[in-house]
Amino acid sequence: ATDQASDKAHDWNALHAVTLTPANRSALDKAMPGTRSVLERHEWIVHGTCSGSSQDAYFARAVLFLDTIDNSAVGTLFAQNIGKRLDNATVRQAFDTAFGAGAGDRIRLACEDDGGRRIISEITIGLRGDVIGTGGIGELIAGSSKTDPGCTGGIVDPVGMQ
């Protein structure tokens, strides 16, 4: 089967392993708990292969961007609201605070039902420009198009506990 077929079937173990330096592997494992289920293979097939970069460079930039977000008003907002509900407008405002006016218009929340709770399951961030280059995440967000806001909000679950 092709990597795309295996990915579509959610058979990520059948995908080729992602090759990273030990330092980048360690950083990615910390940043993305889903590596325990080889999520990075899916992310590479769906997003990384279009980047024109090596797997190592792609994931190094992803970890850098995540660290930047975690150490911003967005990261603070989520850290202070674990177990509580956040609405989309509040998350978008945090992106504006962290990355400039209009940044919040370029993010989309996804939510999922988890028992009797609706949790925030994903934030999609629009980026446009040389994502693998030296540009900062703020300028890459600013260069993207406005997007549909997605779900109205949900509960912030601890990382890896879903």
Side-chain angles (χ1 to χ4, degrees), residues 15-29:
L15 300 175
H16 291 94
V18 170
T19 304
L20 303 174
T21 63
N24 279 346
R25 169 55 69 186
S26 178
L28 185 62
D29 288 347

Side-chain angles (χ1 to χ4, degrees), residues 32-112:
M32 190 170 80
T35 58
R36 289 179 290 205
S37 61
V38 294
L39 176 62
E40 74 277 12
R41 295 177 186 192
H42 160 75
E43 293 298 326
W44 175 252
I45 291 298
V46 174
H47 305 291
T49 55
C50 300
S51 71
S53 74
S54 70
Q55 293 174 337
D56 205 54
Y58 175 80
F59 284 107
R61 284 291 276 181
V63 168
L64 173 68
F65 291 160
L66 183 58
D67 285 346
T68 302
I69 291 166
D70 282 349
N71 291 301
S72 76
V74 176
T76 300
L77 176 70
F78 276 83
Q80 291 176 345
N81 285 282
I82 293 172
K84 300 175 188 170
R85 186 180 191 284
L86 283 179
D87 64 57
N88 192 300
T90 302
V91 175
R92 284 180 158 223
Q93 180 58 52
F95 270 88
D96 284 350
T97 299
F99 303 108
D105 292 332
R106 287 150 176 81
I107 65 114
R108 185 179 198 314
L109 289 185
C111 298
E112 293 180 19

Side-chain angles (χ1 to χ4, degrees), residues 114-125:
D114 181 39
R117 308 175 312 150
R118 183 122 177 109
I119 61 171
I120 297 173
S121 58
E122 182 175 3
I123 302 174
T124 302
I125 304 168

